Amino acid sequence: MLLVRNCPSHVRLSIVRPTGITACIAQPRVGWLDAYLLVEPLIHGVGAGKITAFPGNLDYVIDVIPADIVTSVMLAAAAIAGEEAGGAGVCGESRLGAPVAVYQCGSGNTNPVSL
């Protein structure tokens, strides 16, 4: 809401909301990751034998999304905002009249990873 309220009228506003970002599936290379934050410490702990149990329901989905997919969504959101920038409108208004374009980015529905 702060962005929408303070955004200059000529700036198109898009928000990409990824779930847990994890290693790439293709670009710049398979398995590339520049941080060690979400599930990677758990994977390492299990692989090293330091984590032997993890409480939780085995059916629960851990929604993660590869970093290169998130990048693709961000580029697509920027391209759409660029196409819409030629039209008149208030800050962030999309061609659908929404105050801001928000893109959810996850894989839990189509490629679920369970606990």
Side-chain angles (χ1 to χ4, degrees):
M1 291 188 311
L2 286 171
L3 288 172
V4 171
R5 184 173 40 224
N6 296 306
C7 182
S9 62
H10 65 281
V11 174
R12 308 309 295 176
L13 185 57
S14 298
I15 297 172
V16 176
R17 299 185 66 223
T19 58
I21 300 172
T22 191
C24 293
I25 58 172
Q27 296 293 327
R29 66 179 185 274
V30 175
W32 178 85
L33 185 68
D34 73 344
Y36 196 68
L37 302 173
L38 186 65
V39 296
E40 294 78 23
L42 296 174
I43 293 168
H44 181 259
V46 170
K50 295 184 186 237
I51 298 176
T52 57
F54 195 83
N57 186 324
L58 295 178
D59 295 327
Y60 287 169
V61 172
I62 302 172
D63 202 339
V64 295
I65 189 81
D68 48 344
I69 301 297
V70 176
T71 302
S72 294
V73 172
M74 292 173 71
L75 291 172
I80 292 168
E83 287 177 359
E84 294 176 345
V90 298
C91 174
E93 182 179 305
S94 73
R95 64 179 153 231
L96 299 177
V100 62
V102 179
Y103 301 90
Q104 305 288 6
C105 184
S107 65
N109 289 343
T110 57
N111 189 26
V113 175
S114 64
L115 184 62

